[in-house]
Amino acid sequence: MKSKVIEPKLVNEEITGPRYWRSLDELIENPEFKNFIEKEFPLGASELAGVNRRHFIKIMAASFAAAGMGMAGCRRPIQHILPYSKQPENVIPGVPVYYASSHPSAKDNQPILVETHQHRPSKIEGNSKYSPYGGTTDIFTQASILDLYDPDRSTKSSKGTQSISQGMVYDLLQNIHAKFLSTEGQGLAFLADQSTSPTRARIVKEIKRIFPRSTWAEYEPVNFDNPEIAARRLFGRRLRPQYHFTKTKRILSLDADFLNIEPGKLANSRDFAIKRRVKNSKEATKMNRLYQVESNFSVTGAMADHRLRLSSGQIPAFTALLVIELLRQKSIQSPLSEELKKKASNLDTNPHWIQECVTDLLAHPGKSVVTAGSHQPVEVHELVYFINDLLDANGHTVTYLNIPNYSASTIQDLGVNLENGRIETLIIIGGNPVYNAPHDLNWLELQKSVNEVIRYGYFFDETSIEATYHISATHYLESWSDGRTFDGTIVPVQPMIRPLFEGMQELELLARLAGIKKADPYTLVKKNNY
Amino acid sequence: MANIFPKWSNSIPKQIIIAAALITIALTLGATYYATPKYLRVGYQPIQPVAFDHSLHIDQLGMDCRYCHTFVDRSEHSNIPDSATCMNCHNQIKRDSPALAPIRESWSTGKPVPWVRIHKTPDYVFFNHAVHVNRGISCLECHGKVDEMEVVYHAKSHSMKFCLECHRNPEAYIRPVDKVFDLDWMPDSEEQQLIMGKEMVHNWKVNPPQSCSGCHR
């Protein structure tokens, strides 16, 4: 008997095998998705018109093969040696030449030696001939070489969006000079960086002489002026404290990062380190001791033996307590104590710390010193002068350098003049006030309200955008000038290389504005007869 | 069932092994011969913009290398002379020679003559001419008999092995300092060279670096 086998009907799945899917869209057979995979390439990957892809690759492969046939890539590339046409003197190809110069800054021109290869500056190091700094520099000086080759530096002077030639800049300066000569500078204002250059000071004097009614203001976003301002208030003279840490055994620093930030830091850190270097435990008594009261964990704080945390705003009160304690321990009766007590009333700090610190300072008369950070208010610096007097430090561990009298308005004074609409022409030399002027001034609006703004700067920056004219500046390695170190030593600024771009040197700009006939900076500097 | 593979296929593995070995040997030999500085560099003789002839100027005119390569004893780099150096003589001798046209042009326009570089150490190698020349190592050791070349070519391999061979025993190559620029100078004999060389190496405290960081700084 033939048994009947009922073949089960094949279901769809068994014909095609199990159905795999890669996404839920595919599983539910979304029509949009179907359309998408059919096109093979997603939108955007459009096909080459005329040539199809396979054909294109075929041709490319053939041309690569043909290029390889000659083995051009394996050949040695031809290099040239290009000697001078006429070899200049004192240039030995491959041997660097070093030039002495200095890096200008607001208070301290650091003496440097610049390594140059075929007159291209390549590296800056301190000039060891200047013994207080012993051949050291700070990070700003080190990095300043990069500015020279900065692709963002301004390469051309401009009026609005149009570049103007050097000749037009000369005319512009000449016109300003002529225009304001008759009005004695009425309506003319300057805003400049601070500078240590005696030559610049001389030209500024000349500008003030011929334009007596103009305003000359100087501004640094971070300045170190307060100790000097305090000295002028107390003694009627500009004096600059100079610390001698080689002679100092006890140091109290009030929020002063004198090893890393304050001007003179290079000398300070060398001197400080000398008093720390001892050979064995017997010499330990020769070491100095540093008390640091600060708001920020600074480099100096890291060296401190005793460190007290205190916010910057509380330093004035702390200084008051310090004076009170000093007077008490020296048994001096003074009405000052009562007054200071009021100031310090709501400071909550460890009285024991102050007591011990003062005792230690007093135990080393003439060998201890107190210093305060330049950002602290003038009152603190006044008290510090007094404290150093009580400690017999003045003249021993801290001396005072006479600074030539030189007066400049502040940016706030200038702001008032601008607000009154009395300024027609504003000349901004360096800086970048639109970016970093005190916010309360609303500098951008003030600057916009002036008829004609001339900006002399190294970068075409926020201030230049808002100016009528931008005059391109040279780098200091392309300029003649002079300056002073923090202790007043005169140092040169000399060029290593012709300006890479059409730029103007600061001294020349000022001299042209002052109408000086020989505006060549080298001549101007030479006139000082060093 | 029929054999899938015929009999001769038994020897295929052996053949493959032998062929692979032969190819490897050929490649190694080929590379060591054809792909080393000795083969690739020696003899490199590019066409220079001016057909300057060392043999004429040195052998016949008796010029010193330092008349032109002025700073070879003072700098790491041995300079090629400026056009003014050639013009010292050639504003009188062969003034109108067409061969010298590029020199005259450079001299009047201030543009350099594009001499083609022959010797070139890779950037990762530190080399210094003055150190060698001032310690009695002659140009001859590294550049061959330039004084007899009509056109300068790469005479020595300048491979690392080449440098090290001398650095390991400088006494075989060193010579009196005043004979460095005299490429015709020869020691009386090989023993003589070794005796003299040992003495110089000892007296001058000559100590060429053999550590990697000496040349690869």
Coordinates of all heavy atoms in Angstrom, one line a residue, chain A residues 76-88 91-95, chain B residues 71 74-75 80-84 106-107 110 112-115 117-118 120:
Chain A
R76 N 66.8 61.1 -5.7 CA 67.1 62.1 -4.7 C 66.7 63.5 -5.2 O 66.9 63.9 -6.3 CB 68.7 62.1 -4.6 CG 69.2 63.0 -3.6 CD 70.7 63.0 -3.6 NE 71.1 64.3 -3.1 CZ 72.3 64.5 -2.5 NH1 73.1 63.5 -2.4 NH2 72.6 65.6 -2.1
P77 N 66.0 64.2 -4.3 CA 65.5 65.5 -4.7 C 66.7 66.5 -4.9 O 67.7 66.4 -4.2 CB 64.6 66.0 -3.6 CG 65.1 65.2 -2.4 CD 65.6 63.9 -2.9
I78 N 66.6 67.3 -5.9 CA 67.7 68.3 -6.1 C 67.6 69.4 -5.1 O 66.6 70.0 -4.9 CB 67.7 68.8 -7.5 CG1 68.1 67.7 -8.5 CG2 68.6 70.0 -7.7 CD1 68.4 68.2 -9.8
Q79 N 68.7 69.6 -4.4 CA 68.8 70.7 -3.4 C 69.8 71.7 -3.9 O 70.8 71.3 -4.5 CB 69.2 70.2 -2.0 CG 68.1 69.5 -1.3 CD 68.5 69.3 0.1 OE1 69.6 69.6 0.6 NE2 67.5 68.8 0.9
H80 N 69.6 73.0 -3.5 CA 70.6 74.0 -3.9 C 71.3 74.6 -2.7 O 70.7 74.6 -1.6 CB 69.9 75.1 -4.7 CG 69.3 74.7 -6.0 ND1 70.1 74.3 -7.1 CD2 68.1 74.4 -6.4 CE1 69.4 73.9 -8.1 NE2 68.1 74.0 -7.7
I81 N 72.5 75.0 -2.9 CA 73.2 75.8 -1.9 C 73.3 77.2 -2.5 O 73.8 77.4 -3.6 CB 74.6 75.2 -1.7 CG1 74.6 73.8 -1.2 CG2 75.4 76.1 -0.7 CD1 75.9 73.1 -1.0
L82 N 72.7 78.1 -1.8 CA 72.7 79.5 -2.3 C 73.6 80.4 -1.4 O 73.2 80.9 -0.4 CB 71.3 80.0 -2.2 CG 70.2 79.1 -3.0 CD1 68.8 79.7 -2.7 CD2 70.5 79.1 -4.5
P83 N 74.8 80.6 -1.9 CA 75.7 81.4 -1.1 C 75.3 82.9 -1.4 O 74.6 83.2 -2.3 CB 77.1 81.1 -1.7 CG 76.9 80.6 -3.0 CD 75.5 80.0 -3.1
Y84 N 75.9 83.8 -0.5 CA 75.7 85.2 -0.8 C 76.3 85.6 -2.1 O 77.2 84.9 -2.6 CB 76.4 86.0 0.3 CG 75.8 86.0 1.6 CD1 76.3 85.2 2.7 CD2 74.7 86.8 1.9 CE1 75.7 85.3 3.9 CE2 74.1 86.9 3.2 CZ 74.6 86.1 4.2 OH 74.0 86.1 5.4
S85 N 75.7 86.6 -2.7 CA 76.4 87.2 -3.9 C 77.6 87.9 -3.5 O 78.7 87.8 -4.1 CB 75.4 88.1 -4.6 OG 76.1 88.9 -5.4
K86 N 77.5 88.7 -2.4 CA 78.7 89.4 -1.8 C 78.6 89.1 -0.3 O 77.7 89.6 0.3 CB 78.7 90.9 -2.1 CG 78.8 91.2 -3.6 CD 78.9 92.7 -3.8 CE 78.9 93.1 -5.2 NZ 77.6 93.0 -5.8
Q87 N 79.5 88.3 0.2 CA 79.5 87.9 1.6 C 79.6 89.1 2.5 O 80.6 89.8 2.4 CB 80.6 86.9 1.8 CG 80.9 86.5 3.2 CD 80.1 85.2 3.5 OE1 79.7 84.5 2.7 NE2 79.9 85.0 4.8
P88 N 78.6 89.3 3.4 CA 78.8 90.5 4.3 C 79.9 90.1 5.3 O 80.2 88.9 5.6 CB 77.5 90.6 5.0 CG 76.7 89.4 4.6 CD 77.4 88.7 3.6
V91 N 79.8 87.6 9.1 CA 78.8 86.6 9.1 C 79.4 85.3 8.6 O 80.0 85.2 7.5 CB 77.7 86.9 8.1 CG1 76.7 85.8 7.9 CG2 77.0 88.2 8.5
I92 N 79.4 84.3 9.5 CA 79.9 83.0 9.1 C 78.7 82.0 9.1 O 78.1 81.8 10.1 CB 80.9 82.5 10.2 CG1 82.1 83.5 10.3 CG2 81.4 81.1 9.8 CD1 83.1 83.0 11.3
P93 N 78.4 81.6 7.9 CA 77.2 80.7 7.7 C 77.4 79.5 8.7 O 78.4 78.8 8.7 CB 77.3 80.2 6.3 CG 78.1 81.3 5.6 CD 79.1 81.8 6.6
G94 N 76.4 79.3 9.5 CA 76.4 78.2 10.4 C 76.8 78.5 11.8 O 76.7 77.8 12.8
V95 N 77.4 79.8 12.0 CA 77.8 80.2 13.3 C 76.9 81.3 13.7 O 76.8 82.4 13.0 CB 79.3 80.6 13.3 CG1 79.7 81.1 14.7 CG2 80.2 79.5 12.9
Chain B
F71 N 85.1 79.3 5.6 CA 84.8 79.1 7.0 C 84.8 77.6 7.4 O 84.2 77.2 8.4 CB 83.4 79.7 7.3 CG 83.4 81.1 7.0 CD1 82.5 81.6 6.0 CD2 84.3 82.0 7.6 CE1 82.5 83.0 5.7 CE2 84.2 83.4 7.3 CZ 83.3 83.9 6.3
R74 N 85.9 77.0 10.8 CA 85.3 77.9 11.8 C 83.9 77.6 12.1 O 83.3 78.0 13.0 CB 85.5 79.3 11.5 CG 86.8 79.9 11.9 CD 86.9 81.4 11.5 NE 87.3 81.5 10.1 CZ 87.4 82.7 9.5 NH1 87.0 83.8 10.1 NH2 87.8 82.7 8.3
S75 N 83.3 76.8 11.1 CA 81.8 76.6 11.2 C 81.5 75.1 11.0 O 82.3 74.4 10.5 CB 81.1 77.5 10.2 OG 79.8 77.2 10.1
I80 N 80.0 77.6 0.4 CA 80.4 77.7 -1.0 C 80.7 79.2 -1.2 O 80.0 80.0 -0.6 CB 79.2 77.3 -1.9 CG1 78.8 75.8 -1.6 CG2 79.5 77.5 -3.3 CD1 79.7 74.8 -2.1
P81 N 81.7 79.5 -1.9 CA 82.1 81.0 -2.0 C 81.0 81.8 -2.6 O 80.3 81.4 -3.5 CB 83.4 80.9 -2.9 CG 83.3 79.7 -3.7 CD 82.6 78.7 -2.8
D82 N 81.0 83.1 -2.2 CA 80.1 84.1 -2.8 C 80.7 84.4 -4.2 O 81.8 84.1 -4.5 CB 80.0 85.3 -2.0 CG 81.4 86.0 -1.7 OD1 82.4 85.3 -2.0 OD2 81.4 87.1 -1.2
S83 N 79.8 85.1 -5.0 CA 80.3 85.4 -6.4 C 81.4 86.4 -6.4 O 82.2 86.3 -7.3 CB 79.1 85.9 -7.2 OG 77.9 85.2 -6.9
A84 N 81.5 87.2 -5.4 CA 82.5 88.2 -5.3 C 83.9 87.5 -5.3 O 84.9 88.0 -5.8 CB 82.3 89.1 -4.1
S106 N 75.0 87.2 -11.1 CA 74.8 87.2 -9.7 C 75.5 88.4 -9.0 O 75.0 89.0 -8.1 CB 75.3 85.9 -9.1 OG 75.7 86.0 -7.7
W107 N 76.7 88.6 -9.5 CA 77.6 89.7 -8.9 C 76.9 91.0 -9.1 O 76.9 91.9 -8.2 CB 78.9 89.6 -9.6 CG 79.9 90.5 -8.8 CD1 80.4 90.3 -7.6 CD2 80.6 91.6 -9.3 NE1 81.3 91.2 -7.2 CE2 81.5 92.1 -8.3 CE3 80.6 92.3 -10.6 CZ2 82.3 93.2 -8.5 CZ3 81.5 93.4 -10.7 CH2 82.3 93.8 -9.7
G110 N 73.0 90.7 -7.3 CA 72.9 90.4 -5.9 C 72.1 89.1 -5.7 O 71.9 88.6 -4.6
P112 N 71.8 85.0 -5.7 CA 72.8 83.9 -5.5 C 72.8 83.0 -6.7 O 71.8 82.9 -7.5 CB 72.3 83.1 -4.3 CG 70.8 83.4 -4.2 CD 70.6 84.8 -4.8
V113 N 74.0 82.3 -6.9 CA 74.1 81.3 -7.9 C 73.5 80.0 -7.3 O 74.0 79.6 -6.2 CB 75.6 81.1 -8.3 CG1 75.7 80.0 -9.3 CG2 76.2 82.4 -8.8
P114 N 72.6 79.3 -8.0 CA 72.0 78.1 -7.4 C 72.9 76.9 -7.6 O 72.6 76.0 -8.4 CB 70.7 78.0 -8.1 CG 70.9 78.6 -9.5 CD 72.0 79.7 -9.3
W115 N 74.0 76.7 -6.8 CA 74.8 75.6 -6.9 C 74.0 74.4 -6.5 O 73.2 74.5 -5.5 CB 76.0 75.7 -6.0 CG 76.9 76.8 -6.3 CD1 77.0 78.0 -5.6 CD2 77.9 77.0 -7.4 NE1 77.9 78.9 -6.2 CE2 78.5 78.2 -7.3 CE3 78.2 76.1 -8.4 CZ2 79.4 78.7 -8.2 CZ3 79.2 76.5 -9.3 CH2 79.8 77.8 -9.2
R117 N 73.5 71.0 -4.5 CA 74.2 70.3 -3.4 C 74.5 68.9 -3.7 O 73.7 68.2 -4.3 CB 73.2 70.4 -2.2 CG 73.7 69.7 -0.9 CD 72.7 69.6 0.1 NE 72.5 70.9 0.8 CZ 73.4 71.3 1.8 NH1 74.4 70.5 2.1 NH2 73.2 72.4 2.4
I118 N 75.7 68.5 -3.4 CA 76.1 67.1 -3.7 C 76.1 66.3 -2.4 O 75.4 65.3 -2.3 CB 77.5 67.1 -4.3 CG1 77.6 68.0 -5.6 CG2 78.0 65.7 -4.6 CD1 78.9 68.4 -6.0
K120 N 75.0 65.5 1.4 CA 73.9 65.9 2.3 C 73.7 64.8 3.3 O 73.4 63.7 3.0 CB 72.6 66.1 1.5 CG 71.4 66.3 2.3 CD 71.2 67.8 2.7 CE 70.1 68.0 3.7 NZ 70.6 68.2 5.0

